[in-house]
Amino acid sequence: MFEYAPAPESQALVNFKDSYGHFIDGKFLKPGKTYQTINPANEKVLADITYGTEKDVDLAVKAARHAYEKVWSKLPGAERGKYLYRIARIIQERARELAVAETLNNGKPIKETRDVDIPLVAAWFFYYAGWADKLDYAGLGPNPQALGVAAQVIPWNFPLMMLAWKIAPALAAGNTVVLKPAETTPLTALLFAEICQQAELPDGVVNIVTGFGDTGAALVGHKDVNKVAFTGSTEVGRIIARQVAGTNKKVTLELGGKAANIVFDDAPLDQAVEGIINGIFFNQGHVCCAGSRLLVQESIQDELLKKLQRRMESLRLGDPMDKNTDIGAINSKAQLKKIEALVKQGEKEGAERWSPACVIPKNGFYFAPTLMLGVSPANTVAREEIFGPVLSVMTFRTPQEAVTKANNTEFGLSAGIWTEKGSRILKLADQLNAGVVWANTFNQFDPTSPFGGFKESGYGREGGKQGLAAYLKGGY
Amino acid sequence: MRLDIRKTYKLFIGGKFPRSESGRVYPVADSKGEFLANVAMASRKDARDAVVAARAAQSGWAGATAYNRGQVLYRIAEMLEGRREQFVAEIRALTGKSDRQANQEVDAAIDSWVWHAGWTDKIDAVAGNMNPVAGPFFNISTLQATGVVAAFAPQDSALLGLVNTIAPAIVSGNAIVVVSSGSLPLPAITLTEVLATSDLPGGVVNVLTGKEAEIAPWLASHQDVNAIDLEGTSNFVELEIQAAQNLKRVIRKGDFARLGSKGSLNHITNLMEVKTVWHPKGH
């Protein structure tokens, strides 16, 4: 393996304040009761963050309602679009700073925030900006109407990207929003609040309330919100689905996954190995659509695993700010413990654990890239979402068996197919119960392309025309 | 003198006409309150059997070509037209509607089947799309049926509300377990005789008669049901809470009109899943 000299990105590119209050009605409030947000790569404190209360949520919803009634719903779509274009441009201008901020607060490698997260954030705003004055073409009849105030609760795995997926279509469709970032990753959302100020977005159109699960529950349960959009665990998704029962709130849920990445004996194996690596180790496996179950055709299992293990030995785990790092930090101690517990459980149930030799940094939260071999379909690591760099390996003989095994899950978010045979791809794509099917590729995202799951992976789509309809009356 | 032959009103599960496994029936009265017929009172076991039948039929129905599904739905309209007199008589007896009003309801029901029949091969043209992603990829979004739908037809409509509950679900390839109006069930049972003679595969539509409030919790909490249509339910808040257990897609009471001679595409797509497929472009 080649040795690389350290190539750290500069932390000085970002200046966090010591403490942050909520961003409500265009202004940052004074911090209330706070908690600390840290850098999971070294456990150093980055800032004090306000723990939002029911009262804070109410204030934010009132500001959003006021902005909706008085300003945003009266603005022509073309003008709304211009604000979104402005925001997209400022994100591009401040891209390097945002990438550093995201890596510091999330722990993911700088090469990912720089090359994937932040470019997609800008693209999402740019794409939906163009929809704002074209709602008549969304397929919902002439002059479709916004819903009103959207309550949006997002996870920690792609903090700013998830914000963009939520806020861009909501604003384009004419809604105003109150967004709660995840408790461990609030900082880029607060930088985004600054960007709203720089773009001179009317006060109250975007409101950011920070806090924990109860803050989010207060937001989702607020009587005056018309739309709930949540990305996170299936467990919390169920709670939200119960919470909105009997209301008129429209709901989009992007929940967990346990995607099968299916490799046939005729697949281009080197490409497939890259796809498998990207599928499970991208973002430390903190990806709801991660290809966490490898289904390999029995005849090529040995050859593929040999290549996969060799490739895993070349993965660099360590400082996320280093431009050569492939695998950064696990986002929190709690998540690290959860991964460790699930892997141990998998071993207890008969799977064999393998990781390459790998130095784990002393401080911070890290987990070595891991294969679970000889996994039975009933094994916990074959059924439950681990949300970490852990790949469960299983085999199949026939395409029908591959489909049956791939669909044998409560989830249905994504799936991967690796084969050179076009007709097989198309047949499998029909049969797989997954909202996104990647054939001879994996983990691709684009604002024009709808994303979301079947079954217990949630409902509704984000991205594309479908993602816009989720914020309009008469949309699905 | 000759005694006329009365019909035994049974359930419709998996293409067959069983009695309720519970052996129960309940009397149905006409619009003047006089006894009209005994009708099967479905139990939770019947509901579960119906879900099993629906699941078994669903992939085959979804896998049929859209053209084929369209022809089957059109065939239902043909069969319904042929039995018009029977439906008119049952609607009149149950509701007290005039001959003209009852005929109008049957007209609308037939027209709605025809309207839905034409959608099978057009949903993707209107609601699906190619996506111009920023990279060398072929990317397409299509819609497919969500799976097994449990539905409760409106209580105050004998035929049309039921048709506008079944058709939007099965047009795309879903299978359905539908509970008919409790007090106006006779046209529902006659409709099953139409469905059974329309080349619709057994199990695609399963019709239960009985007490909505008794059957609903078992379907709302059933783990092998993908979506639930709460239109004809009374305890809809509690049912939506139960449906959250496996994150069923929920159609709330009042979300869609049921008494027209047309449905809505939005109703159809609410019981479908958008699937997006990516493939690299290259040599």
Side-chain angles (χ1 to χ4, degrees):
Chain A
M1 180 168 157
F2 295 112
E3 288 304 326
Y4 285 73
E9 175 61 293
S10 168
Q11 200 162 330
L13 286 162
V14 59
N15 244 326
F16 296 125
K17 292 187 236 171
D18 292 338
S19 62
Y20 286 92
H22 306 304
F23 178 70
I24 294 175
D25 206 17
K27 289 164 276 298
F28 280 99
L29 306 188
K30 282 201 190 113
K33 182 185 151 203
T34 60
Y35 67 96
Q36 295 179 325
T37 189
I38 62 164
N39 178 351
N42 56 24
E43 300 173 60
K44 284 186 185 153
V45 175
L46 295 171
D48 290 332
I49 301 297
T50 300
Y51 188 156
T53 63
E54 221 167 292
K55 231 174 107 189
D56 299 335
V57 166
D58 187 54
L59 202 62
V61 172
K62 284 200 171 99
R65 174 62 60 193
H66 186 80
Y68 176 72
E69 303 287 353
K70 301 287 174 204
V71 185
W72 200 241
S73 65
K74 294 186 171 157
L75 215 56
E79 302 305 310
R80 287 201 311 271
K82 286 183 196 168
Y83 281 112
L84 292 174
Y85 280 123
R86 263 194 199 177
I87 289 170
R89 285 306 203 207
I90 298 173
I91 289 164
Q92 288 173 330
E93 286 159 13
R94 296 180 61 174
R96 206 166 158 205
E97 172 199 356
L98 292 169
V100 169
E102 196 78 302
T103 286
L104 288 173
N105 201 194
N106 170 278
K108 64 171 74 191
I110 186 73
K111 73 172 181 189
E112 289 183 11
T113 54
R114 183 193 63 199
D115 297 345
V116 181
D117 291 62
I118 307 305
L120 277 172
V121 171
W124 231 270
F125 278 98
F126 202 90
Y127 171 77
Y128 278 108
W131 266 120
D133 58 356
K134 299 171 194 66
L135 301 183
D136 286 347
Y137 300 90
L140 302 171
N143 198 20
Q145 298 298 303
L147 299 170
V149 175
Q152 306 180 317
V153 178
I154 58 170
W156 46 262
N157 57 341
F158 295 93
L160 195 59
M161 197 162 117
M162 290 298 103
L163 175 149
W165 287 30
K166 297 281 178 290
I167 291 183
L171 265 48
N175 304 273
T176 57
V177 309
V178 179
L179 177 133
K180 190 200 85 73
E183 61 261 30
T184 58
T185 55
L187 287 172
T188 45
L190 294 163
L191 292 181
F192 180 79
E194 282 178 24
I195 290 172
C196 292
Q197 290 178 325
Q198 289 182 348
E200 293 169 13
L201 188 72
D203 294 347
V205 172
V206 168
N207 304 276
I208 311 279
V209 175
T210 50
F212 286 73
D214 54 342
T215 314
L219 177 56
V220 167
H222 195 288
K223 281 202 292 282
D224 201 31
V225 307
N226 307 100
K227 163 83 188 182
V228 173
F230 170 76
T231 298
S233 71
T234 291
E235 189 193 344
V236 175
R238 276 191 244 282
I239 294 170
I240 290 175
R242 287 188 196 108
Q243 208 180 347
V244 300
T247 70
N248 289 322
K249 293 174 190 175
K250 205 164 142 173
V251 187
T252 303
L253 299 173
E254 299 284 2
L255 309 175
K258 192 75 194 175
N261 210 349
I262 306 166
V263 185
F264 285 93
D265 58 6
D266 68 338
L269 284 195
D270 291 330
Q271 283 178 41
V273 166
E274 289 309 310
I276 295 162
I277 294 276
N278 176 37
I280 188 62
F281 301 127
F282 174 63
N283 199 29
Q284 294 76 243
H286 299 330
V287 186
C288 44
C289 53
S292 56
R293 287 184 296 152
L294 175 62
L295 287 175
V296 53
Q297 198 154 22
E298 205 173 78
S299 54
I300 55 159
Q301 182 185 202
D302 293 347
E303 189 188 356
L304 182 77
L305 286 182
K306 206 185 287 171
K307 280 177 186 279
L308 183 60
Q309 287 174 320
R310 196 190 315 142
R311 179 67 179 86
M312 283 172 70
E313 278 162 356
S314 71
L315 290 172
R316 289 158 205 284
L317 178 144
D319 180 9
M321 288 287 277
D322 192 307
K323 292 166 191 163
N324 294 320
T325 292
D326 296 308
I327 298 182
I330 301 300
N331 180 249
S332 66
K333 191 178 227 168
Q335 185 58 26
L336 180 60
K337 281 194 171 149
K338 189 186 154 203
I339 298 168
E340 282 167 347
L342 282 167
V343 167
K344 274 200 190 110
Q345 182 64 27
E347 280 188 288
K348 212 185 286 174
E349 292 173 23
E352 183 198 333
R353 174 180 182 172
W354 181 88
S355 289
C358 174
V359 181
I360 302 289
K362 238 190 0 236
N363 296 319
F365 317 125
Y366 294 89
F367 195 88
T370 299
L371 291 183
M372 299 298 277
L373 300 163
V375 171
S376 72
N379 192 307
T380 300
V381 295
R383 292 182 293 107
E384 283 188 30
E385 184 176 44
I386 297 173
F387 225 61
V390 181
L391 178 64
S392 300
V393 181
M394 287 170 279
T395 60
F396 68 92
R397 288 182 182 174
T398 64
Q400 201 44 56
E401 187 188 351
V403 169
T404 304
K405 282 186 166 166
N407 285 340
N408 182 21
T409 166
E410 295 84 43
F411 298 113
L413 189 49
S414 65
I417 309 166
W418 297 85
T419 173
E420 288 286 39
K421 198 171 171 191
S423 58
R424 178 182 282 157
I425 290 171
L426 296 176
K427 174 109 180 173
L428 251 71
D430 274 352
Q431 293 178 329
L432 290 168
N433 292 325
V436 184
V437 176
W438 286 296
N440 293 322
T441 184
F442 209 93
N443 270 349
Q444 301 290 339
F445 310 96
D446 192 277
T448 67
S449 177
F451 180 92
F454 284 34
K455 300 194 286 186
E456 295 185 26
S457 290
Y459 33 78
R461 294 292 178 270
E462 295 185 292
K465 173 175 84 176
Q466 290 81 358
L468 183 73
Y471 286 94
L472 289 167
K473 284 184 185 152
Y476 36 86
Chain B
M1 171 208 163
R2 180 183 174 276
L3 211 57
D4 62 344
I5 303 299
R6 288 182 179 170
K7 182 154 100 183
T8 308
Y9 289 96
K10 298 196 284 186
L11 307 176
F12 186 55
I13 299 173
K16 296 191 164 58
F17 297 92
R19 291 186 167 83
S20 169
E21 63 79 35
S22 66
R24 299 178 306 173
V25 294
Y26 68 106
V28 171
D30 67 15
S31 60
K32 297 190 185 82
E34 300 291 323
F35 172 82
L36 202 55
N38 287 310
V39 168
M41 179 139 75
S43 65
R44 69 180 188 201
K45 173 76 164 60
D46 295 319
R48 287 173 179 161
D49 289 348
V51 172
V52 170
R55 177 59 68 193
Q58 195 266 324
S59 63
W61 176 239
T65 64
Y67 181 39
N68 180 234
R69 286 202 308 275
Q71 289 183 88
V72 171
L73 262 61
Y74 186 78
R75 179 81 177 153
I76 295 171
E78 290 178 351
M79 292 290 111
L80 223 168
E81 186 78 71
R83 286 200 182 216
R84 165 183 295 276
E85 296 313 319
Q86 192 178 355
F87 284 103
V88 167
E90 284 172 348
I91 291 168
R92 291 191 67 183
L94 284 168
T95 66
K97 280 187 176 183
S98 70
D99 186 59
R100 188 164 151 268
Q101 288 168 325
N103 267 292
Q104 278 171 347
E105 180 170 350
V106 177
D107 288 347
I110 295 166
D111 289 353
S112 181
W113 278 116
V114 174
W115 187 85
H116 282 93
W119 265 117
T120 56
D121 50 8
K122 294 163 196 76
I123 296 167
D124 268 330
V126 175
N129 32 270
M130 293 290 297
N131 304 304
V133 297
F137 294 95
F138 170 85
N139 178 300
I140 190 167
S141 295
T142 59
L143 284 85
Q144 74 178 58
T146 192
V148 172
V149 178
F152 299 85
Q155 294 298 331
D156 52 2
S157 169
L159 175 65
L160 187 54
L162 177 71
V163 166
N164 281 324
T165 299
I166 296 173
I170 68 169
V171 62
S172 63
N174 289 300
I176 188 171
V177 175
V178 61
V179 179
S180 77
S181 162
S183 58
L184 311 173
L186 302 192
I189 301 156
T190 303
L191 182 68
T192 65
E193 294 158 12
V194 166
L195 298 173
T197 51
S198 300
D199 298 325
L200 187 73
V204 173
V205 176
N206 305 276
V207 179
L208 303 176
T209 51
K211 285 188 188 151
E212 160 273 318
E214 181 194 344
I215 307 167
W218 302 104
L219 289 172
S221 60
H222 198 296
Q223 295 300 294
D224 201 30
V225 170
N226 301 96
I228 190 159
D229 172 354
L230 297 173
E231 180 65 25
T233 59
S234 45
N235 197 10
F236 47 88
V237 178
E238 184 55 35
L239 294 172
E240 188 175 342
I241 290 170
Q242 291 174 353
Q245 184 53 34
N246 68 335
L247 291 158
K248 289 180 186 70
R249 286 78 179 110
V250 175
I251 290 182
R252 292 182 179 136
K253 204 177 168 82
D255 273 358
F256 299 107
R258 312 279 170 141
L259 299 178
S261 57
K262 289 183 201 176
S264 88
L265 177 61
N266 195 17
H267 190 167
I268 295 170
T269 54
N270 258 266
L271 296 170
M272 298 184 78
E273 304 288 339
V274 176
K275 177 183 276 182
T276 301
V277 180
W278 294 67
H279 195 279
K281 291 178 183 173
H283 292 293

